[in-house]
Coordinates of all heavy atoms in Angstrom, one line a residue:
Q75 N 48.2 15.4 -37.3 CA 46.8 15.6 -37.8 C 46.1 14.2 -38.1 O 44.9 14.2 -38.4 CB 46.8 16.4 -39.1 CG 47.4 17.8 -39.0 CD 46.6 18.6 -38.0 OE1 45.3 18.7 -38.1 NE2 47.2 19.3 -37.1
T76 N 46.9 13.1 -37.9 CA 46.4 11.8 -38.1 C 46.6 11.0 -36.8 O 47.5 11.3 -36.0 CB 47.1 11.1 -39.3 OG1 48.5 11.0 -39.0 CG2 46.9 11.8 -40.6
P77 N 45.8 9.9 -36.6 CA 46.0 9.1 -35.4 C 47.4 8.4 -35.5 O 48.0 8.2 -36.5 CB 45.0 8.0 -35.6 CG 44.0 8.5 -36.6 CD 44.7 9.4 -37.5
A78 N 47.9 8.1 -34.3 CA 49.2 7.4 -34.2 C 48.9 6.2 -33.2 O 47.9 6.2 -32.5 CB 50.2 8.3 -33.6
E79 N 49.8 5.2 -33.2 CA 49.7 4.1 -32.3 C 51.0 3.7 -31.8 O 51.9 3.3 -32.5 CB 49.0 2.9 -33.0 CG 48.9 1.7 -32.0 CD 48.1 0.5 -32.6 OE1 47.8 0.5 -33.8 OE2 47.9 -0.4 -31.8
F80 N 51.2 3.8 -30.5 CA 52.4 3.3 -29.8 C 52.2 1.8 -29.8 O 51.2 1.3 -29.2 CB 52.5 3.9 -28.4 CG 53.7 3.3 -27.6 CD1 54.9 3.8 -27.7 CD2 53.5 2.1 -26.9 CE1 56.0 3.2 -26.9 CE2 54.5 1.5 -26.1 CZ 55.8 2.1 -26.2
E81 N 53.1 1.1 -30.4 CA 53.1 -0.4 -30.3 C 54.4 -0.9 -30.0 O 55.4 -0.6 -30.7 CB 52.5 -1.0 -31.5 CG 52.3 -2.5 -31.4 CD 51.3 -3.1 -32.4 OE1 50.5 -2.4 -33.0 OE2 51.3 -4.3 -32.4
S82 N 54.5 -1.9 -29.1 CA 55.7 -2.6 -28.8 C 55.4 -4.0 -28.5 O 54.8 -4.4 -27.6 CB 56.4 -2.0 -27.5 OG 57.5 -2.7 -27.2
I83 N 55.9 -4.9 -29.4 CA 55.7 -6.3 -29.3 C 56.5 -6.8 -28.1 O 55.9 -7.6 -27.3 CB 56.0 -7.0 -30.6 CG1 55.0 -6.6 -31.7 CG2 56.0 -8.5 -30.4 CD1 55.4 -6.9 -33.1
P84 N 57.8 -6.5 -27.9 CA 58.5 -7.0 -26.7 C 57.9 -6.5 -25.4 O 58.0 -7.3 -24.4 CB 59.9 -6.4 -26.9 CG 60.0 -5.8 -28.2 CD 58.6 -5.7 -28.8
L85 N 57.2 -5.4 -25.4 CA 56.6 -4.9 -24.1 C 55.2 -5.3 -24.0 O 54.6 -5.2 -22.9 CB 56.6 -3.3 -24.1 CG 58.0 -2.7 -24.0 CD1 57.8 -1.2 -24.1 CD2 58.6 -3.0 -22.6
S86 N 54.6 -5.9 -25.0 CA 53.2 -6.3 -25.1 C 52.3 -5.1 -24.7 O 51.4 -5.2 -23.9 CB 52.9 -7.4 -24.1 OG 53.6 -8.6 -24.5
K87 N 52.6 -3.9 -25.4 CA 51.8 -2.7 -25.1 C 51.5 -2.1 -26.4 O 52.3 -2.1 -27.4 CB 52.7 -1.7 -24.3 CG 53.1 -2.1 -23.0 CD 52.1 -1.7 -21.9 CE 52.7 -2.0 -20.5 NZ 51.6 -2.0 -19.6
E88 N 50.3 -1.6 -26.5 CA 49.8 -0.8 -27.6 C 48.8 0.2 -27.2 O 48.0 -0.1 -26.3 CB 49.3 -1.6 -28.8 CG 48.1 -2.5 -28.5 CD 47.7 -3.3 -29.7 OE1 47.6 -2.8 -30.8 OE2 47.5 -4.5 -29.5
K89 N 48.8 1.4 -27.8 CA 47.9 2.5 -27.4 C 47.7 3.4 -28.6 O 48.6 3.9 -29.1 CB 48.4 3.2 -26.2 CG 47.4 4.2 -25.6 CD 47.3 4.0 -24.1 CE 46.2 4.8 -23.6 NZ 46.2 4.7 -22.1
V90 N 46.4 3.6 -29.0 CA 46.1 4.5 -30.1 C 46.0 5.9 -29.5 O 45.4 6.1 -28.4 CB 44.8 4.0 -30.7 CG1 44.3 5.1 -31.8 CG2 44.9 2.7 -31.4
I91 N 46.5 6.9 -30.2 CA 46.5 8.3 -29.8 C 45.9 9.1 -30.9 O 46.5 9.2 -32.0 CB 47.9 8.8 -29.4 CG1 48.6 7.8 -28.5 CG2 47.8 10.1 -28.8 CD1 49.9 7.2 -29.1
G92 N 44.7 9.7 -30.7 CA 44.1 10.5 -31.7 C 44.9 11.8 -31.9 O 45.7 12.2 -31.2
P93 N 44.6 12.5 -33.1 CA 45.3 13.7 -33.4 C 45.0 14.7 -32.2 O 43.9 14.9 -31.8 CB 44.6 14.2 -34.6 CG 43.9 13.0 -35.2 CD 43.6 12.1 -34.1
G94 N 46.1 15.4 -31.8 CA 46.1 16.4 -30.7 C 45.8 15.8 -29.4 O 45.5 16.6 -28.4
V95 N 45.9 14.5 -29.2 CA 45.6 13.9 -27.9 C 46.9 13.6 -27.1 O 47.9 13.2 -27.7 CB 44.8 12.6 -28.1 CG1 44.6 11.8 -26.8 CG2 43.4 13.0 -28.7
S96 N 46.8 13.6 -25.8 CA 47.9 13.2 -24.9 C 47.4 12.1 -24.0 O 46.2 12.3 -23.5 CB 48.3 14.4 -24.1 OG 49.3 14.1 -23.2
T97 N 48.1 11.1 -23.8 CA 47.7 10.0 -22.9 C 49.0 9.4 -22.3 O 50.1 10.0 -22.4 CB 46.9 8.9 -23.7 OG1 46.4 7.9 -22.8 CG2 47.8 8.2 -24.8
F98 N 48.9 8.3 -21.6 CA 50.1 7.7 -21.0 C 49.9 6.2 -20.9 O 48.8 5.7 -21.0 CB 50.3 8.3 -19.6 CG 49.2 8.0 -18.6 CD1 49.4 6.9 -17.8 CD2 48.1 8.8 -18.5 CE1 48.4 6.6 -16.9 CE2 47.1 8.5 -17.6 CZ 47.2 7.4 -16.8
I99 N 51.1 5.6 -20.6 CA 51.1 4.1 -20.2 C 52.0 4.1 -19.0 O 52.9 4.9 -18.9 CB 51.5 3.2 -21.4 CG1 52.9 3.6 -21.9 CG2 50.5 3.2 -22.5 CD1 53.5 2.6 -22.9
V100 N 51.8 3.1 -18.2 CA 52.7 2.8 -17.1 C 53.4 1.5 -17.3 O 52.8 0.5 -17.6 CB 51.8 2.8 -15.7 CG1 52.7 2.4 -14.6 CG2 51.1 4.1 -15.5
I101 N 54.7 1.6 -17.1 CA 55.5 0.4 -17.2 C 55.9 0.0 -15.8 O 56.5 0.9 -15.1 CB 56.8 0.6 -18.0 CG1 56.4 1.1 -19.4 CG2 57.6 -0.7 -18.1 CD1 55.7 0.2 -20.4
K102 N 55.6 -1.2 -15.3 CA 55.8 -1.5 -13.9 C 57.2 -2.0 -13.6 O 57.7 -1.8 -12.6 CB 54.8 -2.5 -13.4 CG 53.4 -1.9 -13.4 CD 52.4 -2.9 -12.9 CE 51.0 -2.2 -12.9 NZ 50.0 -3.1 -12.5
Y103 N 57.8 -2.7 -14.6 CA 59.1 -3.3 -14.4 C 59.7 -3.7 -15.7 O 59.0 -4.4 -16.5 CB 59.0 -4.5 -13.4 CG 60.3 -5.1 -13.1 CD1 61.0 -4.8 -12.0 CD2 60.9 -6.1 -13.9 CE1 62.3 -5.4 -11.7 CE2 62.1 -6.7 -13.7 CZ 62.8 -6.3 -12.5 OH 64.0 -6.9 -12.2
L104 N 60.9 -3.4 -16.0 CA 61.6 -3.9 -17.1 C 63.0 -4.4 -16.7 O 63.7 -3.8 -15.9 CB 61.9 -2.7 -18.1 CG 60.7 -2.2 -19.0 CD1 61.2 -1.1 -19.9 CD2 60.1 -3.3 -19.8
D105 N 63.3 -5.6 -17.3 CA 64.7 -6.0 -17.2 C 65.6 -5.1 -18.0 O 65.1 -4.5 -19.0 CB 64.8 -7.5 -17.7 CG 64.1 -8.5 -16.8 OD1 64.2 -8.3 -15.5 OD2 63.6 -9.5 -17.3
P106 N 66.9 -5.0 -17.7 CA 67.8 -4.2 -18.5 C 67.8 -4.8 -19.9 O 67.7 -6.0 -20.1 CB 69.1 -4.4 -17.8 CG 68.8 -4.7 -16.4 CD 67.5 -5.5 -16.4
G107 N 67.8 -3.9 -20.9 CA 67.8 -4.3 -22.3 C 67.2 -3.3 -23.2 O 66.8 -2.2 -22.8
E108 N 67.0 -3.7 -24.4 CA 66.4 -2.9 -25.5 C 65.0 -3.4 -25.9 O 64.8 -4.6 -26.0 CB 67.3 -2.8 -26.7 CG 68.6 -2.1 -26.3 CD 69.5 -2.0 -27.6 OE1 69.2 -2.6 -28.6 OE2 70.5 -1.3 -27.4
Y109 N 64.1 -2.5 -26.0 CA 62.7 -2.8 -26.4 C 62.2 -1.9 -27.5 O 62.1 -0.7 -27.3 CB 61.8 -2.6 -25.1 CG 62.2 -3.5 -23.9 CD1 63.2 -3.0 -23.1 CD2 61.6 -4.7 -23.7 CE1 63.6 -3.8 -22.0 CE2 62.0 -5.5 -22.6 CZ 63.0 -5.0 -21.8 OH 63.3 -5.7 -20.7
S110 N 62.0 -2.5 -28.7 CA 61.6 -1.7 -29.8 C 60.1 -1.3 -29.7 O 59.3 -2.0 -29.1 CB 61.8 -2.5 -31.1 OG 61.0 -3.7 -31.1
F111 N 59.8 -0.2 -30.3 CA 58.4 0.3 -30.5 C 58.3 1.0 -31.8 O 59.3 1.4 -32.4 CB 58.0 1.1 -29.2 CG 58.6 2.4 -29.1 CD1 58.1 3.6 -29.6 CD2 59.8 2.6 -28.4 CE1 58.7 4.8 -29.5 CE2 60.4 3.8 -28.3 CZ 59.9 4.9 -28.8
F112 N 57.1 1.2 -32.2 CA 56.8 1.9 -33.5 C 55.4 2.4 -33.5 O 54.6 2.1 -32.7 CB 57.1 0.9 -34.7 CG 56.2 -0.4 -34.6 CD1 55.0 -0.5 -35.3 CD2 56.6 -1.5 -33.8 CE1 54.2 -1.6 -35.2 CE2 55.9 -2.6 -33.8 CZ 54.7 -2.7 -34.4
D113 N 55.2 3.3 -34.6 CA 53.9 3.9 -34.8 C 53.2 3.0 -35.8 O 53.5 3.0 -37.0 CB 54.0 5.3 -35.3 CG 52.7 5.9 -35.6 OD1 51.6 5.3 -35.6 OD2 52.7 7.1 -36.0

Side-chain angles (χ1 to χ4, degrees):
Q75 301 297 312
T76 60
E79 181 176 4
F80 173 91
E81 183 159 349
S82 175
I83 295 167
L85 293 172
S86 297
K87 299 268 186 196
E88 62 182 312
K89 188 130 189 188
V90 174
I91 311 118
V95 172
S96 176
T97 187
F98 66 91
I99 59 174
V100 174
I101 307 290
K102 294 183 180 178
Y103 181 95
L104 285 181
D105 288 324
E108 297 183 349
Y109 301 84
S110 62
F111 68 93
F112 56 96
D113 178 354

